[in-house]
Amino acid sequence: MVQRGQTDRVSDVWGARTPHAADEPWPSRVDQFLLDGYRVAWSPSACVLCSNGCGLDIAVADGRIVGVRGRVTDRVNRGRLGPKGLYGWQGQLRDRLTRPLIRRNGRLEEADWDEAMGLVVERSRALLADKGPLSHAFYTSGQLMLEEYYTLAVIGKAGLGTPHLDGNTRLCTATAAAALKETFGADGQPGSYDDVEHCDALFSFGHNVAATQTVLWARMLDRLTGADPPRHVTVDPRRTEVARRSDIHLAIRPGTNLALMNGLLQQQIEHDWVDHDYVRRHTVGYDRLAEVVADYPPRRVAELCDVSARDVEAAAEIFGTAERALSTVLQGFYQAHQATASAVAVNNLHLLRGMLGRPGAGLLQMNGQPTAQNNRETGADGDLSGFRNWDNEAHVRELAALWDVDELQIPHWAPPTHAMQIFRYVEQGSINLLWIAGTNPAVSLPELGRIRSALRRDSVLVVCNDGFRTETTELADVVLPAALWGEKTGTFTNADRTVHLSERAVAPPGQARSDLDIWVDYARRMGFRDRSGRPIPRWTEPEQAFDAWRECSRGRPCDYSGMSYALLRDSPGIQWPCTADAPRGTERIYLDHRFPTGDAECETDGHDLLTGAAVTAEQHAARRYDGRARLRAAHWTPPPENPAGSYPLALGTGRTVTQFHTRTKTGRVPELDRAAPDAWVELAPADAAELGITDGDLVRVESVHGAIEVTARCSGSRRGTVFVPFHYGDSEGAGRRRAANELTATAWDPVSKQPTFKSGAVRVRRIGPGRSRE
Ligand code: SF4
């Protein structure tokens, strides 16, 4: 079939440049991919294949999706789409689950909804009677819609009363949330994408934005190639496209992010680039911070991080002398050793220089998954809904009143259970009903051998909502066919707090239903009721769920109370908070430099960044933060899994530009699959030569946890390190293990509980020539 009006976004990932100077608006450029020969109707939506959330319209003809075009008026992308946004929709047209499946005699067999839900409800009731709500857990996704997350959060907390809720957002974005909470008292991005247009310095901290959010990188490139470009510093062990376009690339040794950050902070103080008046009025903790970072002069940092002291000094000077610095942070920090402490150190840099709350002075602790922000806001990740503090009785009372349930029904006697702990409880046999939605933990969680055996246990009923059969559904007991993007209505929020409404454009295939419908059906069959006898949840439709969420968020930092479906329709995207006072949303938060750190309002009292030990309410009150940001610091420590001896190479896992998550969608898209059909390991040429490996060889990569067999690419930049993309599982008929997480450890950051995918040790050996040369 011929396509018209489109550009090739695989060979030309970021598209044509539209360069411009500082403070000029970002020009528009419309990208479109449309099957030819149809008269189409356009349905408004946004892309859900990364956290950028580009606005787009879905082309519909004859009841099916036949293309997309970027929305020219949208504040996020001004019409642009990257490879996944442009082509990714095709992935959901094939191989869909259309009927519920139930495991009988070891095989998944087709069933009807009554049978499948009857089985789930029967087990759920028996477990509640026998063992109580802690026998239930939910592990969701970063791709559902706000309405679905909030519905699940209410069912889980007010209906069932279990603290065991988390999402795969734990793998990608938990550190962003943790860092924002530690410093500012609550989650929420201070910055705005428009800061790209205004900054005079751009810092990419472990953020390979050229691969992860391609349209945001196009936006940055348009500044970097325009008049008066920002100075650009990248921190990344790999020489990525972002690194290649930098003035300074700090290719640090894996596991040393915090040492480097402490060095950059030390230089701000050493050269007195500190805005002392700002620090005095708006922060607490400067003396302790200064004491810690004094131990990190450039020469020591250079030794620890294996970079030049001059580059450390030069990068620090760029930050210290900038008038408007924008920092973006992602997995190079979030999935690494001392993740939260390192991400907090980026916040500290901005606070020392008063670099917040004005155009160009931006801070984006980025998200990875497309709708991760909503998972966090609504409490489907286990936190209390609306950025409330589980350890604050008044916050619990607010929710109990809103949901009309007893306060004791809402689990708040301990912190919420994080994903790795949920799977540990499954392994130990105390969780007996695990409901997984829209994600594939049998590929994406660390140490897959353990995860597979946990999912196979007889003691747990595994229920999966998904659009496709995956490595995880193959281990499930009940599989429920889910409607996907474009087949249901709902909202989602991107990494700079921009909310889009995505309307149902086509009907879901077969008997597939939205996750909202599935969970409301479960709740109705279970008979969950509030104190007044009304059903929990009180709604059945997405717009009703959104309106309920608006009330839940009212007065909280993520305030949606001024938003509505009507307002979102035809909008260029609206950034929260959106209230009666700010009906068009809010571009940047913290304009008044008052932060939600007061005892009564904060989402957490914070933690010791080294150990994860919680700061008590009494300790917090004694510090009298009262709206001032918390400057928190920690010393660098060596990573626990250091490459040495039999495992001499440092392992990092990550993404590649054309694939998303575990390829359930992108692996089914011809353009995207062709671009990266199989897994590989990237080695530095000198390491490869020593090991007798040449480009294209089949190699075995082994850690103490497992092994994979993949193709070698001898294009790595840093000796002693290897990189493996995490998208590939075993279900595509490769006939060999190839998932990066066969190699990774069950280990997590002490504060954010995000697994440390970028701290591993492996060895590599050649098995034979690659397939193309056999
Ligand atoms: S940058 Fe992200 S949101 Fe935008 S089109 Fe690409 S995958 Fe979709």
Side-chain angles (χ1 to χ4, degrees):
M1 182 93 53
V2 184
Q3 292 93 27
R4 61 184 143 95
Q6 86 281 11
T7 32
D8 180 353
R9 225 11 109 249
V10 170
S11 61
D12 180 17
V13 171
W14 307 291
R17 295 279 54 75
T18 49
H20 64 93
D23 302 318
E24 289 178 358
W26 189 31
S28 58
R29 185 199 80 202
V30 176
D31 294 329
Q32 172 174 301
F33 179 78
L34 197 59
L35 302 184
D36 210 1
Y38 292 99
R39 281 180 74 86
V40 302
W42 295 100
S43 179
S45 182
C47 176
V48 283
L49 289 167
C50 87
S51 65
N52 215 47
C54 297
L56 58 73
D57 297 315
I58 302 174
V60 181
D62 303 333
R64 51 186 283 248
I65 300 176
V66 294
V68 291
R69 72 172 175 208
R71 195 174 316 117
V72 69
T73 54
D74 198 276
R75 65 172 302 279
V76 171
N77 55 323
R78 313 272 208 273
R80 291 164 188 77
L81 294 173
K84 291 185 295 242
L86 207 56
Y87 306 120
W89 55 272
Q90 299 171 96
Q92 62 188 68
L93 307 183
R94 293 174 46 195
D95 308 331
R96 292 289 300 280
L97 280 165
T98 56
R99 293 191 58 178
L101 306 174
I102 290 176
R103 187 169 297 282
R104 295 188 185 105
N105 302 318
R107 289 167 51 88
L108 286 172
E109 294 177 359
E110 287 193 345
D112 62 31
W113 275 100
D114 267 344
E115 265 182 291
M117 290 303 281
L119 197 155
V120 176
V121 166
E122 185 187 7
R123 178 70 70 93
S124 183
R125 282 215 182 104
L127 284 169
L128 282 182
D130 216 27
K131 299 181 67 172
L134 270 65
S135 55
H136 289 58
F138 293 83
Y139 181 63
T140 61
S141 163
Q143 295 166 67
L144 307 186
M145 295 187 172
L146 180 152
E147 295 76 358
E148 296 174 320
Y149 293 127
Y150 185 53
T151 299
L152 175 64
V154 173
I155 291 171
K157 294 172 206 296
L160 275 164
T162 176
H164 305 325
L165 283 88
D166 203 356
N168 67 17
T169 48
R170 182 67 54 189
L171 316 180
C172 77
T173 189
T175 301
L180 293 166
K181 288 190 238 181
E182 291 296 324
T183 301
F184 304 114
D187 197 347
Q189 300 294 347
S192 164
Y193 281 174
D194 285 24
D195 290 330
V196 174
E197 276 79 81
H198 302 290
C199 64
D200 63 5
L202 176 62
F203 280 71
S204 306
F205 292 107
H207 185 195
N208 182 9
V209 56
T212 56
Q213 288 98 358
T214 57
V215 171
L216 181 57
W217 177 237
R219 191 169 190 158
M220 292 171 173
L221 275 178
D222 285 347
R223 275 301 315 282
L224 293 168
T225 53
D228 57 12
R231 289 170 294 171
H232 182 205
V233 176
T234 294
V235 179
D236 196 320
R238 298 173 69 211
R239 190 149 180 79
T240 60
E241 179 65 20
V242 180
R244 271 190 281 277
R245 303 296 297 240
S246 301
D247 297 300
I248 297 175
H249 173 203
L250 294 163
I252 61 174
R253 178 183 283 132
T256 63
N257 288 335
L258 185 57
L260 175 74
M261 293 311 302
N262 282 348
L264 297 180
L265 287 160
Q266 185 270 353
Q267 286 286 286
Q268 307 306 305
I269 294 170
E270 170 90 8
H271 293 280
D272 201 20
W273 289 319
V274 175
D275 182 339
H276 291 285
D277 183 50
Y278 187 94
V279 168
R280 193 168 45 251
R281 288 195 293 139
H282 300 300
T283 72
V284 174
Y286 176 78
D287 290 345
R288 171 68 184 149
L289 173 76
E291 187 187 314
V292 169
V293 303
D295 284 354
Y296 298 83
R299 281 181 61 171
R300 178 166 183 242
V301 171
E303 275 169 30
L304 293 174
C305 303
D306 190 25
V307 290
S308 94
R310 239 197 346 255
D311 281 351
V312 175
E313 289 167 338
E317 184 177 357
I318 289 176
F319 199 94
T321 57
E323 287 179 12
R324 297 177 290 178
L326 169 63
S327 296
T328 69
V329 195
L330 199 65
Q331 312 303 12
F333 274 40
Y334 299 164
Q335 294 179 338
H337 176 56
Q338 296 189 290
T340 306
S342 307
V344 161
V346 179
N347 299 344
N348 291 343
L349 266 180
H350 281 259
L351 288 166
L352 287 193
R353 298 229 50 237
M355 202 66 82
L356 288 169
R358 55 195 163 84
L363 172 60
L364 292 166
Q365 298 278 358
M366 293 294 296
N367 301 336
Q369 291 271 336
T371 68
Q373 190 67 46
N374 304 116
N375 198 320
R376 280 149 47 183
E377 291 159 8
T378 58
D381 66 346
D383 282 340
L384 284 196
S385 310
F387 294 165
R388 288 177 173 85
N389 183 351
W390 66 267
D391 202 17
N392 180 328
E393 290 292 339
H395 286 189
V396 177
R397 268 199 303 280
E398 282 172 16
L399 285 182
L402 188 71
W403 297 337
D404 192 19
V405 295
D406 193 288
E407 287 158 41
L408 292 176
Q409 175 69 10
I410 300 172
H412 65 284
W413 57 88
T417 318
H418 62 93
M420 298 309 296
Q421 194 64 41
I422 286 177
F423 279 84
R424 180 70 184 133
Y425 289 153
V426 171
E427 205 171 33
Q428 290 175 320
S430 70
I431 286 177
N432 310 103
L433 195 161
L434 174 63
W435 200 323
I436 298 167
T439 188
N440 191 6
V443 176
S444 57
L445 283 180
E447 208 179 339
L448 287 180
R450 269 190 72 189
I451 299 303
R452 282 190 293 266
S453 56
L455 292 172
R456 283 195 186 107
R457 285 184 63 92
D458 291 338
S459 57
V460 63
L461 183 84
V462 177
V463 184
C464 275
N465 302 355
D466 211 304
F468 306 93
R469 289 184 83 142
T470 66
E471 288 82 352
T472 303
T473 62
E474 295 318 289
L475 300 172
D477 301 292
V478 180
V479 180
L480 303 173
L484 301 177
W485 168 89
E487 300 162 357
K488 57 186 179 181
T489 292
T491 54
F492 37 87
T493 307
N494 81 341
D496 86 334
R497 293 174 282 103
T498 303
V499 184
H500 286 109
L501 172 65
S502 177
E503 311 248 25
R504 174 174 147 144
V506 296
Q511 298 179 17
R513 299 161 68 181
S514 73
D515 296 85
L516 188 148
D517 283 348
I518 294 171
W519 283 321
V520 169
D521 184 13
Y522 164 73
R524 294 291 184 268
R525 289 172 190 254
M526 291 294 290
F528 295 135
R529 298 267 159 195
D530 64 20
R531 283 188 297 204
S532 308
R534 293 170 295 185
I536 296 174
R538 279 173 228 156
W539 53 86
T540 56
E541 298 300 320
E543 189 164 3
Q544 296 167 333
F546 186 79
D547 289 341
W549 164 248
R550 289 166 59 197
E551 285 314 305
C552 182
S553 70
R554 187 182 292 277
R556 296 301 300 160
C558 51
D559 194 329
Y560 284 64
S561 59
M563 243 181 259
S564 64
Y565 274 22
L567 207 59
L568 285 163
R569 262 181 208 116
D570 302 323
S571 82
I574 300 176
Q575 289 170 284
W576 63 249
C578 175
T579 62
D581 293 338
R584 289 165 184 258
T586 308
E587 179 149 32
R588 290 175 193 81
I589 58 175
Y590 305 141
L591 297 184
D592 59 357
H593 308 288
R594 198 190 169 284
F595 306 99
T597 53
D599 300 330
E601 58 188 333
C602 67
E603 193 179 355
T604 174
D605 294 329
H607 301 82
D608 180 284
L609 298 180
L610 263 188
T611 65
V615 173
T616 65
E618 293 73 26
Q619 289 166 333
H620 191 263
R623 300 301 303 272
R624 301 178 66 91
Y625 290 104
D626 297 335
R628 293 174 293 171
R630 307 161 178 153
L631 287 169
R632 285 193 167 143
H635 282 288
W636 174 78
T637 59
E641 263 200 69
N642 254 330
S646 328
Y647 300 95
L649 300 167
L651 169 70
T653 70
R655 295 180 218 200
T656 192
V657 67
T658 51
Q659 304 303 318
F660 177 69
H661 198 47
T662 61
R663 279 171 50 91
T664 46
K665 282 185 192 165
T666 52
R668 292 179 164 87
V669 177
E671 292 83 354
L672 303 179
D673 183 53
R674 269 198 305 272
D678 200 358
W680 71 91
V681 58
E682 180 185 281
L683 295 137
D687 291 330
E690 253 177 32
L691 294 164
I693 293 168
T694 54
D695 225 33
D697 280 349
L698 191 64
V699 298
R700 184 173 170 85
V701 187
E702 289 175 291
S703 76
V704 293
H705 311 289
I708 56 172
E709 293 177 0
V710 293
T711 305
R713 287 189 188 175
C714 305
S715 54
S717 51
R718 192 187 160 86
R719 282 211 69 173
T721 65
V722 303
F723 170 83
V724 181
F726 62 56
H727 308 287
Y728 300 86
D730 301 328
S731 70
E732 296 179 70
R736 55 193 153 82
R737 292 267 183 238
R738 55 182 195 159
N741 284 313
E742 304 290 349
L743 307 169
T744 50
T746 301
W748 54 77
D749 179 71
V751 181
S752 68
K753 318 298 185 196
Q754 182 157 349
T756 47
F757 293 109
K758 296 190 195 299
S759 289
V762 295
R763 62 185 172 213
V764 182
R765 71 179 162 84
R766 183 175 184 276
I767 299 174
R771 288 201 174 148
S772 58
R773 292 185 288 126
E774 270 170 349

